[in-house]
Structures are given as C-alpha cells and as structure tokens.
C-alpha cells in the first residue's frame, strides 16, 4: 500500500499563510477534475485552447482567483495587502503546475502587471479602480500580460543594472495628457490573442542608460493601434499562448504609467523577484507530479523479478531526484517567505532579493532538467510516452529554465551580487 | 564531408563512395526536408514518408547491406560500418527519425548476415523484401522489456520479459500481448521480436506486419521521432516457420545491439551537426549586452558554445572509432563479443549523454527561439531524447559494463 504522498515533501510549515490549506485543497480538486484528465490532449490544442479554456474559466472566473490581488472594496480578495502574498502564491502555483505548468504560468502572469499597482507599499489606487472591474466583475477568465521581451533580445531588457533600459526600443512619448506608444514586443505569456490588459515596458528616451527613462505603462488590449499576432508553436507549454504584439501610435492616459520616473524602474525589480518565485514554484509543483507518476512507474514495473524501485542502482537515481525535490520545494517557500517579510529581508525590489531569486530559479531549473533526463531514461520507451506525463513536464519545464533572461543572465546577476562584479 | 575541417572525421576505412554518398544525402535533406519543413513540419504522409521513399529507394540505402545475388548492393559488414557512421550522420541532419529507422534496418541486416543463426530462407526473404519493392520497408524491433506490461506466454531473459517461443511444427508459436516495440509499431512491414525458448535461448523471430494474428494498438503520442509511429502490439498465437528465424543466441542479439549502438550514435551525432549549424548562425548574428557584443564573442556564451562543439567533436570521434572496431573483427573480435559489445554500449552511453547535453545547452543559448518550432532546433532536442530513452535504462546498462570491466555479479 502506498503511504507516502506529495504532501510529505517538506516545506517550512511555520511560514504558511492561513489560507494555505483552503486554497491548496480548492486548487487541487480543480486540477484533478478539470486538468489532469485532459492534459494529455493539450499539445494538440495549442492554437485554439478549446479544451484548455474551460479549465481556465473555472479557476479564474468562476472560482474567482483572478480577483485575488485587488482590494476587497473593489471586488478583490485583498491579497495585495497580505503578509502572505509570496507563500500564498507559491502554494497556488505549485498546485496548478502539478497539473500543468503552462496553466500555472498563464495564471501567474495575470498578476505580474498587477503586482506593480496592487501590492503594498506601492499601491496605485487609481489604476486599481480602473482595472478591477475588468477582472472582478465577470465569471469569464480575464488575462493580463507583461510585455518586456523585444525581437532584438529579452535578456538585455531584464539586465537592468548594466544596461539600464538602454536597449528598449518600445517608446513612450508624452503628448498632452496621453502617452503615445510605439514598438514591437514578442513572447509575453498570455499574448497570442489572449490578454485583455498589457503592461508594456517602454523607454521615454531611447538609447539612454537612465532609470528615469524606464516606463511601465498599462495598455488595454482593445485600444486602437494594438495588434496581436497568433500564438507560436512551441516544444511544450501549450496552455500558455505567446506571440507578437505591435503598438502603433497607441494612446493611453498619462496616469496609466504605474508610478513614474525612477519608481517604475525600482518597483519593476519586484516584478522580476515575483517572476523568479513563480518559476521556482512551477518547477516544484511539476516535480511533485513527477514524483507521483514515477512512484507509480517504478512500482508497476519490475526488473529481474523485483520492483524497479527495489533495484539499488535505480533507487540511487530515485533518491537523487527526491533529494532535489526536497531542496527545491524548501527553497521555493524560503524565497516566498523572504518576499513576504520585507521587515526582515528588505524590500522585494532590492538587488539582493532579485539576485537570490535568480540563483534559486536557475538552481531549481538545472536540477529539474537533469533529474527529468535521468528519470525519463529509467522508464525506457515509456519515458517518451505522453501517457506517463514525465515527458510533458520535461518539455514544459525547459522553458522555465530559459525565460526571464536565460540562465546566463541569472549567473551574471548572482555573480554581480555575491562577488561585487562591476562590469558583467 | 560537411564541416570536416572543423570536426574531423576519422578517415581510415571511409571510402570515396561514402563521401559522395554523404553529399547525395545532404542534397536529399535539403530538397526533400529542409525546403518543405516550415510548411509541412512533421507531417508523416506529406513529408516524412515521401522523404523516406527517396532515401531508402531512390538513393537506394535500403538495399545496401543485402547480398548482390539477392538484388542488394552486397556491401560487406566492414564497409557498412563506415558507411553507416558517415551516411547516418548526414541523414539525421535531415530527419533524426528517418535516419534512426534506417539505422535499425541496417542493424538487423548486418547481424543477420553475420551468420548469427539466421536461416538461409530468412536471409532470402528479408533481402527480397528490401531489394525488390519500390516502397520503403519499415522494420520494427521488439526488444526485451521491463516486466509488468506484457501479458500472455512470457519468459524472463536477463531480468526482462520477452515472449516465450513455443516449438510448433518446425517453427515456433508466440502468444503475448502488450508488447512495446522500439519503433514503428503502427506501420511496420515486419516485426523483429526478441523472444526466448523454454530453455532460455534468445531468438529474434520475424513476424510479418500483415499476419492475421498480429494486433496493433492505437499509435501512442510521444516526445519525438515523428517518422516512427509507434504502437503496442499483441501476438495471438502467431506461427513462425524456420525462415522467420533471424538470430539465435545471446551473442547474435548482442551483435545486433552493437550495430544499433553504432547507428544510433551516428544519428545523434548528425542531430548535433544540425544543432551546430543553427547555433553557429545564432552566435554570428545575435547581439547581447546592448549593441556591441556579438553572441559568440561574449566569454560566457562562448564558453558554452565551445562545450557544445567539444561534445559534437567527441561524439564524432567516438562514433568513428566504434565504426572502426566493428569493421575489423579480426582485430577486435565480432560485434557480438563482449569486448566490442561493451565498447559499443560505452560509446552509445557517452554519445547519447553528450548529445543530450549539447542540445540542452544549445536550446539554453537560444532561449525562446530554441524553444519555438519555427527555429527547428527543438525537434532535434526531442528526437535525440526519444532515442536516448528508448535504447534503455542507463542504470541497468551499467550492470553490463560492471560485469565486463570488473567481473561484477550485480544484476
Ligand atoms: C513560454 C514563454 C513565456 C514567456 N513569457 C514572457 C513574458 O511573460 N514576458 C516577456 O516579456 N517575455 C516572455 N518570454 C520571453 C522570454 O522571457 C525571453 O525569451 C527571455 O528573456 C530571453 O530573451 P530572448 O529570447 O530574446 O534571448 P536573448 O535575450 O537573445 O538571450 C539569449 C541568451 O543569451 C544569453 N545572454 C543574455 N544576456 C547575457 C549576458 N549579459 N551575458 C551572457 N549571456 C547572456 C542567455 O543564455 C540567453 O538565454 C516568454 C518566453 C516563453 C517561451
């Protein structure tokens, strides 16, 4: 009889939010009813999302999770004010990623732009009031996207310490009380025609390395001049649509800029920290499902008359995976806690927390990819068989390792912080 | 030879005809695959099957190892070792799955022809199949499996489960379900099933794809290798006569594996050649860190690019070395002998691991472009992983090596 379960994988329980149990159970039930039975057909649904869309609707619209960050009086759940935003998000992302990490990222990225305006201590009440109805007064799933990456390179835009926004080509020009935005973004999660609201990383002074010129501006997708291309076909992550977005003389009110010169740049680093937390939690959640499926596999298959898991060399590989899973999960919650408690660890946008988030993220991703390679190999031809789900997690998680600037940018930021490098 | 100046190919034993064959295959890959890839992607009927027909039939690779008096090209095993190492690399640049199907065919042919117990009738039958038709022949290999899936009359052989070959008439009967072929269960013309007698002797028996007692499951979805549409099969008391005996004895099976490790190593090396071309273009043109830093000139990315190149070169040298061993049984012993087989397994383990690592790294350096189908890299990444897992659990394979290197009794 199976005694162990994914809930035996450690996380620091003293950090957990009071809502952890409730939200965790709710999402797990949703995942088991709405996603896991269908997910093997998701790859073929990458363009239309006919099978995927109803599951999003249920989670975000009907169960209402898309309202989470907005203040209660605007119809939200007020998590932007919570001391448990990191650990709470971590649990939710894990539970969704256990079923499908692309759904977890599509869900998580809804909040990426909103972190900028809904979270203490930098709430922009006017923008919350402006956008809350879009998310809170509907039972349809409503998506948002954070458009940073441009054709010439995404890593450079995130490489803020050194390049200070100088490579951003999307421009914002103030014309009276409106921003006029021009540029081309690509790859944002929830692009490809999905999003209702974009946050767009722009420069007000192209080519300069100046935090003041960095602008974080909200652009509703239906505004004139916004054009979205169809989704790209990818190696995995079918539930996340990614495509091109063109902004041609798009006019938005001047107060759609999140906070203004200097502050946009500063708080944007918190967006990066949150992205790193999400990435680690997606890895941790997906690996929890890998644990479940591998447990089944090594229990259903035998070698030389013994259960596969009872073969010492195979058990060595299983142990290595379990050890990584333990460490990655603890790491996810530890980082979440660090983001929850600025009073102890400093502001979420500090260089320290950005660098440490990058370190945990690339550690988690590298370990996960190495483990998945080894586990797929243990399964022989079943390792490449979609019915066993492991190969899906392998394909999906690969992009977690590559996005947000790729591994090399992570390495540079980590070295820069720990070793005080100045030119990387 | 493509990129030979950067990644030397060991030339001993490689004939001029191999080099010109490689050139033809390069043209085939361009005309039949690359030119149509963006539109047809991995379409089996529209792209892969016609490309296979042109490689197997028009270029004629399907009949290369079969005897001349049966209509084949009569290339000897020694010649074929080098041809396989060179040709399969080129073919894999075009499509890893097609190249691997060819590698499997050649492994079966060469081990059969090596006189490993195949009846002369079997050789005639297989030659005719490969040399007379105008359609590509698809062979499917059904190897020993982890226990727990297959049902019916089974035997345990070397810790794994295989169908029991029960004597019947002058031949054998097989009755087993839930068998997982290595490849092409959905559309194979012939299944080569490793089975075992009650006395524990392994045999490779041929089951025609149109045998009424053969049942194919629905094709299952998998990571890569679109050219190989795979499905589990069941054999309901299939009768196989003496002419269906392809191999007999453990050494014969090991010989087949040695040839398959060579072919698979060449295929993975070919995939890396394609990846090299893609990352080279990326490295020449992509700019990072603002305007001035060309990708290949950044020390960190250059270091990883160097690692990718080094892995490719190591794969190429190892593959060539294995080809030389297989081409010289007088020096190293036969393909089924312990020394050659363990060398082949070692080469395969190292090449597959290096190829997986290099493809992982290539994708990392290309970030989203590497992950997008449009850039063509991710297909190689999925295909190589699919071959690497299909050819067996490395933890268990290491027991073979421990036995050979140290006399270990670990099973
Ligand atoms: C599923 C998915 C979801 C995504 N979601 C979003 C999103 O929500 N929003 C968004 O804006 N983008 C998103 N992206 C894009 C992604 O974040 C970028 O692709 C990533 O940041 C890398 O940018 P790039 O692809 O332009 O590669 P480049 O910036 O060209 O980088 C290529 C590689 O260069 C190396 N490199 C970069 N900088 C340095 C340096 N300074 N030193 C050494 N090496 C370096 C790294 O290895 C990097 O991987 C997503 C992509 C995918 C596939």
């Amino acid at each position: 009889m199976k005694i162990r379960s994914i809930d035996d994988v450690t996380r620091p329980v003293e950090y957990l939010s009071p809502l952890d149990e409730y939200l965790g159970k709710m999402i797990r039930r949703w995942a088991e009813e709405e996603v896991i039975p269908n997910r093997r057909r998701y790859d073929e649904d990458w363009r239309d999302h006919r099978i995927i869309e109803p599951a999003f609707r249920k989670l975000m619209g009907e169960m209402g999770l898309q309202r989470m960050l907005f203040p209660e009086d605007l119809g939200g759940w007020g998590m932007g004010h919570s001391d448990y935003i990191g650990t709470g998000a971590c649990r939710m992302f894990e539970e969704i990623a256990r079923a499908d990490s692309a759904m977890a990222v599509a869900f998580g990225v809804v909040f990426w732009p909103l972190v900028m305006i809904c979270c203490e201590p930098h709430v922009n009440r006017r923008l919350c009031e402006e956008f809350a109805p879009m998310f809170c007064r509907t039972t349809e799933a409503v998506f948002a996207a954070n458009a940073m990456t441009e054709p010439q390179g995404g890593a450079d835009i995130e490489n803020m310490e050194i390049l200070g926004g100088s490579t951003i080509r999307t421009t914002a020009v103030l014309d009276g009380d409106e921003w006029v935005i021009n540029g081309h973004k690509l790859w944002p999660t929830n692009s490809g025609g999905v999003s209702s609201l974009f946050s767009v990383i722009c420069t007000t002074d192209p080519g300069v390395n100046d935090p003041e010129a960095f602008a974080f501006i909200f652009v509703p997708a239906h505004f004139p001049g916004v054009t979205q291309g169809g989704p790209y076909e990818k190696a995995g992550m079918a539930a996340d649509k990614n495509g091109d977005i063109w902004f041609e003389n798009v006019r938005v009110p001047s107060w759609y800029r999140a906070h203004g010169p200097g502050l946009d740049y500063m708080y944007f680093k918190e967006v990066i920290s949150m992205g790193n937390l999400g990435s680690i939690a997606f890895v941790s959640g997906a690996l929890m499902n890998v644990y479940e499926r591998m447990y089944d596999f090594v229990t259903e298959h035998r070698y030389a008359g013994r259960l596969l898991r009872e073969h010492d060399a195979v058990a060595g590989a299983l142990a290595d995976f379990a050890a990584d899973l333990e460490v990655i999960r603890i790491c996810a919650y530890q980082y979440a806690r660090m983001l929850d408690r600025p009073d102890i660890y400093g502001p979420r946008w500090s260089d320290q927390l950005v660098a440490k988030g990058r370190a945990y993220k690339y550690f988690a991703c590298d370990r996960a990819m190495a483990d998945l390679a080894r586990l797929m190999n243990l399964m022989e031809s079943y390792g490449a068989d979609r019915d066993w789900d492991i190969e899906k997690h392998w394909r999906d998680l690969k992009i977690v390792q590559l996005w947000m600037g790729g591994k090399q940018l992570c390495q540079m930021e980590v070295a820069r912080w720990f070793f005080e490098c100045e030119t990387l | 030879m493509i990129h030979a100046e950067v990644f030397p190919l060991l030339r001993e034993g490689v004939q001029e005809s191999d080099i010109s064959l490689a050139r033809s295959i390069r043209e085939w890959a361009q005309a039949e695959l690359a030119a149509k890839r963006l539109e047809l992607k991995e379409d089996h009927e529209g792209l892969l099957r016609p490309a296979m027909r042109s490689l197997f039939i028009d270029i004629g690779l399907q009949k290369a190892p079969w005897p001349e008096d049966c209509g084949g090209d009569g290339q000897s095993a020694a010649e074929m070792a080098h041809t396989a190492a060179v040709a399969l690399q080129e073919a894999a640049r075009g499509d890893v799955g097609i190249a691997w199907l060819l590698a499997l065919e050649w492994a079966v042919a060469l081990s059969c022809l090596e006189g490993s117990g195949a009846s002369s009738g079997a050789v005639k039958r297989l030659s005719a199949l490969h040399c007379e038709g105008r359609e590509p022949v698809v062979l499917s290999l059904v190897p020993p499996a982890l226990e727990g899936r297959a049902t019916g009359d089974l035997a345990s052989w070397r810790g794994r489960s295989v169908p029991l070959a029960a004597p019947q008439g002058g031949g054998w009967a097989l009755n087993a379900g839930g068998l997982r072929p290595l490849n092409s269960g959905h559309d194979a013309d012939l299944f080569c099933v490793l089975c075992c007698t009650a006395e524990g002797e392994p045999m490779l028996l041929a089951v025609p794809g149109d045998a009424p007692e053969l049942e194919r499951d629905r094709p299952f979805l998998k990571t890569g290798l679109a050219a190989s549409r795979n499905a589990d099969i069941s054999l309901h008391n299939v009768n196989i006569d003496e002419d269906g005996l392809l191999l007999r004895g453990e050494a014969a099976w090991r010989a087949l594996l040695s040839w398959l490790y060579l072919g698979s190593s060449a295929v993975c090396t070919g995939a890396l050649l394609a990846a090299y071309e893609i990352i080279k273009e990326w490295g020449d043109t992509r700019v990072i860190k603002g305007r001035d830093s060309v990708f290949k000139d950044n020390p960190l990315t250059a270091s990883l690019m160097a690692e990718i190149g080094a892995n490719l070169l190591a794969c190429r040298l190892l593959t060539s070395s294995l080809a030389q061993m297989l081409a010289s049984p007088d020096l190293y012993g036969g393909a089924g002998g312990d020394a050659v087989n363990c060398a082949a397994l070692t080469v395969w383990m190292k090449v597959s691991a290096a190829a997986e690592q290099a493809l992982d790294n290539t994708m990392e350096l290309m970030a989203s472009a590497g992950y997008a189908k449009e850039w063509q890299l991710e297909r190689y990444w999925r295909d190589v992983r699919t071959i690497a897992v299909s050819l067996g659990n490395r933890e268990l394979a290491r027991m073979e090596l421990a036995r050979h290197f140290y006399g270990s009794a670990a099973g």
Side-chain angles (χ1 to χ4, degrees):
Chain A
M1 202 188 80
K2 187 171 170 177
I3 297 171
R4 303 270 181 272
S5 79
I6 48 173
D7 295 319
D8 291 305
V9 183
T10 303
R11 57 201 181 124
V13 285
E14 59 275 32
Y15 295 168
L16 302 185
S17 106
L19 282 179
D20 180 86
E21 183 76 6
Y22 169 74
L23 279 176
K25 274 197 180 136
M26 183 167 93
I27 298 179
R28 191 171 293 183
R29 194 174 331 112
W30 163 83
E32 278 167 6
E33 286 170 6
E34 308 291 331
V35 182
I36 292 178
N38 301 320
R39 67 181 173 183
R40 290 180 194 144
R41 294 183 292 147
Y42 279 12
D43 277 300
E44 285 68 33
D45 196 32
W46 65 274
R47 195 198 300 269
D48 300 326
H49 277 195
R50 283 205 188 93
I51 312 169
I52 295 167
E53 173 53 30
F56 273 135
R57 183 180 200 278
K58 182 128 194 187
L59 177 77
M60 292 164 54
E62 293 172 20
M63 288 159 64
L65 267 70
Q66 68 199 21
R67 296 169 217 164
M68 211 161 47
L69 274 190
F70 288 101
E72 286 98 323
D73 64 323
L74 298 177
W77 296 5
M79 266 189 73
H81 301 280
S82 159
D83 282 346
Y84 292 103
I85 183 171
T87 40
C90 193
R91 176 73 198 268
M92 286 188 269
F93 294 161
E94 264 193 331
E95 288 294 341
I96 304 173
R98 172 179 162 251
D100 186 284
S101 44
M103 292 195 91
V105 64
F107 169 77
V109 165
V110 169
F111 308 105
W112 227 12
L114 302 179
V115 159
M116 248 346 227
I117 55 169
C118 295
C119 288
E120 294 290 359
H122 46 72
V123 174
N124 181 328
R125 176 75 192 180
R126 192 173 178 195
L127 285 177
C128 285
E129 284 170 5
E130 180 78 354
F131 298 125
M134 190 188 270
F135 293 88
C136 303
R137 287 207 201 132
T138 175
T139 51
E140 294 300 322
V142 178
F143 292 89
N146 180 31
M148 307 181 286
T149 306
E150 297 184 357
Q152 77 281 5
D156 282 354
I157 291 179
E158 292 193 39
N159 193 353
M160 291 162 68
E161 285 304 298
I162 292 294
L163 297 171
S166 57
T167 65
I168 302 170
R169 293 193 191 156
T170 302
T171 55
V173 176
L174 200 56
D175 182 19
D177 58 359
E178 287 180 328
W179 288 109
V180 182
I181 298 174
N182 279 286
H184 177 193
K185 298 285 185 182
L186 70 180
W187 280 112
T189 284
N190 298 336
S191 49
V194 169
S195 262
S196 303
L197 181 66
F198 294 108
S199 55
V200 186
I201 307 303
C202 311
T203 176
T204 57
D205 194 355
V208 301
N209 183 334
D210 177 6
E212 304 267 310
F214 182 97
F216 190 100
I217 301 178
F218 285 88
V219 178
H222 66 275
F223 272 30
V226 178
T227 312
Q228 294 194 60
Y232 302 141
E233 196 175 359
K234 318 186 289 289
M237 284 241 173
D240 173 19
K241 286 195 193 180
N242 313 83
D244 296 79
I245 317 156
W246 292 271
F247 300 93
E248 258 184 285
N249 292 320
V250 179
R251 290 179 167 269
V252 299
S254 58
W255 52 278
Y256 273 23
R257 181 171 182 176
H259 298 284
L263 293 179
D264 280 357
Y265 178 86
M266 185 164 88
Y267 297 138
F268 178 69
K269 291 191 201 162
E270 177 173 339
V271 171
I272 301 292
S273 296
M274 286 296 191
N276 283 322
L277 172 64
S279 302
I280 308 163
F282 304 150
V283 173
S284 162
L287 290 188
M288 306 254 278
N289 187 236
V290 170
Y291 167 48
E292 296 172 284
R293 300 297 287 137
M294 271 319 283
Y295 192 113
D296 292 343
F297 188 86
V298 294
T299 308
E300 287 175 25
H301 292 85
R302 292 169 170 265
Y303 176 74
R306 285 187 297 171
L307 293 183
L308 198 54
R309 68 175 193 221
E310 302 295 339
H311 187 279
D312 303 57
V314 170
L318 297 175
D320 288 350
F321 160 65
D324 283 338
L325 171 56
E326 271 284 296
V327 173
I328 290 167
R329 193 168 198 215
I330 291 169
C331 199
Y333 280 89
Q334 177 59 47
Y335 189 53
R337 175 68 165 180
M338 288 156 75
L339 299 183
D340 279 345
R341 296 299 300 271
D343 53 324
I344 304 174
Y345 295 98
R348 293 177 192 128
W349 53 84
S350 71
D351 289 343
Q352 173 180 187
L353 283 185
V354 172
K356 289 184 177 172
R358 298 260 196 217
Y360 308 146
K361 180 223 168 194
Y362 94 73
F363 171 82
C365 292
D366 283 4
R367 291 313 314 147
M369 293 322 290
D371 287 327
L372 282 163
R374 210 157 159 210
L375 296 179
M376 284 172 77
N377 185 266
L378 285 184
M379 300 169 76
E380 308 199 331
S381 59
Y382 298 98
D385 179 339
R386 205 185 290 171
D387 279 350
W388 278 95
D389 305 312
I390 308 291
E391 71 88 38
K392 168 191 167 55
H393 289 302
W394 171 68
R395 283 185 292 114
D396 288 350
L397 289 187
K398 185 69 188 171
I399 192 58
V400 183
Q401 187 186 35
L402 311 183
W403 69 30
M404 290 188 66
K407 176 174 172 181
Q408 281 67 33
L409 179 68
C410 292
Q411 288 176 307
M412 294 302 91
E413 294 211 344
V414 173
R416 203 182 284 155
W417 194 81
F418 281 94
F419 290 90
E420 302 182 68
C421 308
E422 289 174 356
T423 60
L424 298 177
Chain B
M1 261 314 285
I2 180 76
H3 306 310
E5 65 296 350
V6 187
F7 302 103
L9 183 84
L10 299 184
R11 286 298 297 264
E12 289 80 357
V14 175
Q15 318 262 333
E16 267 320 303
S17 55
D18 294 325
I19 303 294
S20 74
L21 175 62
R23 242 177 255 126
S24 313
I25 298 178
R26 171 151 274 248
E27 283 160 21
W28 161 83
Q30 181 54 38
E32 299 290 330
L33 292 159
K36 304 172 187 167
R37 196 55 100 164
L38 275 181
E39 188 198 342
L40 294 171
K41 295 175 184 164
E42 297 187 278
D43 182 340
H44 197 274
E45 294 307 326
L47 181 76
L48 301 175
R49 179 81 187 178
M52 248 173 101
R53 189 176 296 116
S54 132
L55 184 72
F56 285 31
I57 305 295
D58 302 340
I59 298 183
L61 295 186
Q62 175 168 299
K63 58 186 181 147
W66 297 102
E68 269 172 302
D69 57 1
C70 299
D73 291 345
Q75 279 205 51
S76 67
E79 290 165 335
M80 276 305 295
H82 295 291
T83 303
V86 172
L88 292 172
Q89 283 187 39
E90 282 297 334
R93 273 186 66 256
D95 188 83
V96 174
I98 293 178
W100 198 50
L101 294 185
L102 188 60
L104 279 154
E105 307 236 337
W106 283 353
V108 170
L110 290 164
S111 47
C112 250
L113 291 166
E114 220 167 64
S116 311
S119 64
S120 60
V123 171
K124 277 209 187 94
R125 234 191 234 177
L126 276 188
S127 309
L129 182 67
H130 283 86
C131 306
E132 286 170 9
R134 291 295 304 157
E135 281 299 314
V137 174
V138 177
L139 290 192
S140 171
L141 190 61
V142 186
L146 293 171
E147 296 160 347
R149 287 277 125 183
T151 54
D153 301 337
L154 303 171
S156 178
W157 186 66
R158 297 198 131 271
R160 292 169 180 273
S161 151
V162 293
L164 178 74
Q168 183 155 306
W172 302 268
L174 302 180
N175 183 37
L179 303 174
R180 165 69 47 104
L182 210 50
N183 65 297
S184 310
H186 177 65
D187 40 21
D189 302 297
L190 190 78
F191 288 87
C192 306
V193 184
L194 191 85
C195 30
C196 188
T197 62
E199 295 72 41
E201 185 179 38
M203 294 189 302
L204 192 71
L205 297 182
V207 178
D210 57 4
E213 306 86 355
L214 169 84
E215 189 191 335
R216 306 179 200 231
D217 254 10
R218 287 222 316 259
F220 60 87
L221 296 166
K222 60 182 165 40
T223 308
L225 298 179
S228 155
R229 294 189 291 196
N230 209 358
D232 288 348
I233 58 164
S234 296
L235 306 171
H236 305 291
N237 278 314
V238 182
N239 275 320
I240 293 146
D241 63 23
E242 255 181 77
D243 289 348
L245 176 64
L246 304 178
L247 304 175
R248 175 171 236 154
E250 183 164 351
W253 172 245
R254 282 164 156 267
L256 186 152
L257 289 180
S258 297
W259 286 108
L260 186 55
Y261 293 143
L262 172 70
S264 303
S265 297
V267 167
C268 289
T269 305
L272 277 197
L273 280 171
Y276 164 74
E277 289 163 25
I278 297 171
I279 191 67
K280 183 164 187 316
E281 188 193 334
W282 181 262
D284 286 340
T285 53
R286 191 72 175 172
V287 174
I288 50 168
K289 287 183 92 171
R291 295 204 178 85
D292 304 325
S293 185
V294 176
F295 202 81
K296 68 178 177 191
D297 296 333
N298 174 285
L300 181 62
T301 46
S303 149
L304 204 53
M305 287 172 80
E307 193 64 24
I308 293 166
N311 269 326
L312 166 51
L313 180 54
C315 287
R316 205 150 144 114
L317 294 176
L318 281 169
T319 302
S320 291
S321 304
L322 177 57
Q324 284 193 18
M325 285 185 88
L326 284 166
S328 317
D330 44 332
L331 294 179
Y332 302 103
D338 228 24
V340 173
N341 183 244
C342 284
L345 173 59
T346 302
V347 166
W348 164 242
M349 284 172 67
K350 293 291 168 196
V351 167
S352 57
E356 287 184 290
Q357 154 124 49
L359 282 160
D360 262 336
N361 292 155
T362 307
M363 194 182 269
E364 282 152 34
L365 289 175
M366 294 179 65
S368 294
Y371 198 66
K373 297 223 164 186
E374 192 186 336
W375 271 83
Q376 306 293 337
L377 177 80
E378 64 83 41
R379 180 164 44 83
Y380 294 101
W381 177 73
R382 288 184 289 112
D383 286 347
V384 164
R385 171 59 49 89
T386 309
I387 299 181
V389 302
S390 304
L391 281 188
N393 179 321
R394 288 185 189 131
E395 314 299 332
L396 299 177
R398 285 197 192 94
M399 300 304 108
E400 293 289 315
L401 298 184
R403 187 178 50 74
H404 176 66
F405 295 142
Y406 305 103
S408 162

